[in-house]
């Protein structure tokens, strides 16, 4: 008989989308950063599909002013579908319906002021209740055979506790990330004994950093509720997670795949090239075009 432990399933995912996206101004003056198109679909849809493929059943958006377009994107669009049907564009209909959210599964709450990622997550406290949950930052995209969150759910089913996606970054860049203090590392699962938000390279405990995918236990809300500000004067998720360590297991997963920072212009452009190159329809043409710029 198997003695494997079972842990509460991860059914809900929070998508914090209330940030200002200042690095993309003026493009994001009116349009949410999360609606920027990566190849043929907006960033938020990439994140939604990854979560759905990982078995997530409820999708919780933390939105703010001028973000209504994000919820509209996942709605049923009868006029559009009718027109496409009349024109016999069945492949497009499939693409459109793929962006529809199942009925009763999209939940919205608002973050009135962008006080930081930790504060955005705190705003979803009531919607999460008392169960483990995922967090998806839509401006981090991961090109992978198996979705990053699916890999994390698999790891979580083995370990329980908290699991965050991690990668090694150049030492000079640690001040852009939440950085791990590592207890042990088997090359795939990292046992974490501490976390520091945005340390200068000389103060960083390692160069292994968290990227925008998390599976957390609801106790993180106890720490977020203190509304303490950290790096950059923002309420930081990393600081609240750090306080869980010691009381709960806390692991990093070295996921398989290539991550792109679509919150920066350079990362976003690179991601568009990478996604376009692996697109069945246009990949070869894109490759040919690129040779013109060498
Ligand atoms: P970023 O750190 O990239 O911040 O947020 P930002 O404000 O969106 O962009 P810049 O730095 O001004 O260009 C990462 C994710 O967290 C959300 C953002 O919408 C994004 O999806 N976020 C950030 C919030 O929902 N609320 C916040 O207060 C901060």
């Amino acid at each position: 008989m198997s003695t494997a432990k079972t842990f509460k399933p991860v059914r809900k995912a929070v998508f914090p989308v209330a940030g200002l996206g200042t690095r993309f101004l003026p493009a994001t003056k009116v349009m949410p950063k999360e609606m920027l198109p990566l190849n043929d679909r907006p960033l938020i849809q990439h994140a939604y599909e990854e979560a759905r493929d990982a078995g997530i059943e409820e999708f919780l958006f933390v939105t703010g002013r001028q973000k209504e377009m994000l919820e509209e994107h996942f709605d049923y669009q009868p006029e559009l579908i009718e027109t496409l049907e009349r024109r016999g564009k069945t492949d497009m209909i499939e693409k459109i319906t793929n962006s529809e959210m199942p009925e009763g599964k999209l939940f919205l709450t608002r973050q009135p002021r962008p006080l930081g990622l930790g504060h955005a997550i705190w705003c979803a406290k009531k919607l999460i209740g008392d169960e483990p949950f995922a967090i998806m930052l839509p401006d981090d995209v991961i090109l992978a055979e198996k979705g990053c969150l699916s890999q994390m759910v698999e790891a979580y089913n083995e370990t329980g506790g908290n699991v965050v996606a991690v990668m090694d970054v150049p030492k000079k860049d640690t001040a852009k990330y939440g950085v791990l203090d590592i207890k042990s590392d088997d090359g795939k699962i990292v046992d974490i004994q501490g976390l520091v938000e945005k340390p200068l390279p000389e103060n960083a405990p390692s160069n292994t950093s968290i990227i925008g995918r998390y599976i957390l236990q609801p106790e993180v809300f106890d720490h977020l509720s203190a509304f303490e500000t950290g790096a950059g004067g923002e309420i930081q998720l990393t600081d609240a997670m750090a306080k869980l360590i010691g009381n709960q297991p806390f692991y990093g997963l070295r996921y398989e795949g290539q991550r792109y920072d679509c919150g920066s212009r350079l990362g976003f452009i690179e991601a568009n090239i990478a996604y376009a190159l692996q697109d069945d329809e246009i990949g070869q043409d894109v490759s040919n075009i690129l040779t013109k710029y060498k």
Side-chain angles (χ1 to χ4, degrees):
M1 209 170 78
S2 164
T3 53
K5 277 191 195 163
T6 54
F7 302 102
K8 264 193 184 179
V10 185
R11 300 184 317 111
K12 299 180 180 180
V14 181
F15 299 72
V17 291
L20 297 179
T22 54
R23 283 170 288 172
F24 279 94
L25 285 170
T28 49
K29 190 175 157 199
V30 175
M31 187 179 67
K33 169 174 75 173
E34 299 81 6
M35 284 302 293
L36 291 172
L38 171 53
N39 197 18
D40 64 347
R41 60 203 71 190
L43 291 173
I44 188 70
Q45 192 178 333
H46 285 276
Y48 162 67
E49 289 179 22
E50 184 186 322
R52 186 190 60 191
D53 293 348
I56 295 297
E57 296 165 13
E58 296 185 9
F59 306 87
L60 283 42
F61 286 10
V62 181
T63 74
R65 276 190 303 281
Q66 293 190 316
K67 297 281 184 164
E68 291 78 12
M69 200 190 280
L70 287 161
E71 52 201 89
E72 290 284 334
H73 179 74
F74 289 96
D75 236 339
Y76 175 54
Q77 296 281 359
E79 294 87 358
L80 182 58
I81 290 179
E82 243 172 61
T83 309
L84 292 171
E85 266 166 0
R86 261 202 319 275
R87 295 182 183 172
K89 299 206 163 175
T90 40
D91 51 334
M92 273 301 159
I93 295 174
E94 209 173 296
K95 280 196 173 187
I96 301 291
T97 48
N98 199 31
S99 66
E100 280 169 22
M101 196 73 82
E103 280 156 45
K105 301 298 184 192
L106 172 62
F107 299 84
L108 302 161
T109 187
R110 283 173 85 104
Q111 183 191 28
R113 282 168 298 152
L115 299 179
L117 178 59
H119 182 256
I121 302 304
W122 178 85
C123 291
K125 182 176 188 290
K126 276 273 181 289
L127 294 175
I128 294 294
D130 189 26
E131 55 182 293
F133 63 103
I135 301 172
M136 312 284 294
L137 303 195
D139 48 9
D140 261 346
V141 291
I142 299 120
L143 189 54
E145 240 164 69
K146 180 184 280 180
C148 183
L149 190 66
S150 296
Q151 298 177 45
M152 292 169 69
V153 167
E154 274 177 17
Y156 166 83
N157 288 339
E158 298 283 321
T159 63
N162 303 270
V163 179
V164 293
V166 303
M167 65 180 271
D168 291 339
V169 301
K171 189 86 181 171
K172 65 174 177 42
D173 290 340
T174 53
K176 295 182 190 162
Y177 295 92
V179 176
L180 314 190
D181 185 356
I182 296 174
K183 187 172 170 192
S184 67
D185 182 352
D186 71 4
K188 183 174 178 197
I189 300 286
V190 184
D191 196 350
I192 301 174
Q193 61 184 5
L195 292 170
V196 190
E197 180 65 13
K198 300 191 169 63
L200 291 172
E202 56 271 31
N203 302 329
S206 74
N207 66 330
T208 307
S209 303
I210 304 178
I211 61 141
R213 300 288 183 273
Y214 313 72
I215 292 174
L216 298 180
Q217 297 296 324
E219 285 75 19
V220 74
F221 290 115
D222 300 343
H223 302 296
L224 288 172
S225 298
F227 278 24
E228 273 171 32
T229 53
E234 296 195 339
I235 299 170
Q236 297 288 358
L237 179 61
T238 304
D239 298 341
M241 293 190 302
K243 292 188 178 130
L244 292 176
I245 298 170
N247 298 317
Q248 294 185 349
F250 212 108
Y251 301 103
L253 172 71
R254 293 184 184 277
Y255 57 91
E256 284 174 22
Q258 179 65 45
R259 172 254 185 185
Y260 299 94
D261 174 12
C262 289
S264 78
R265 277 168 58 203
L266 196 60
F268 178 69
I269 289 168
E270 188 185 351
N272 263 294
I273 295 170
Y275 275 71
L277 282 172
Q278 54 88 59
D279 184 305
D280 289 341
E281 221 174 289
I282 60 168
Q284 190 53 54
D285 290 340
V286 172
S287 173
N288 296 342
I289 289 170
L290 286 176
T291 59
K292 283 203 285 184
Y293 296 90
K294 276 191 181 149

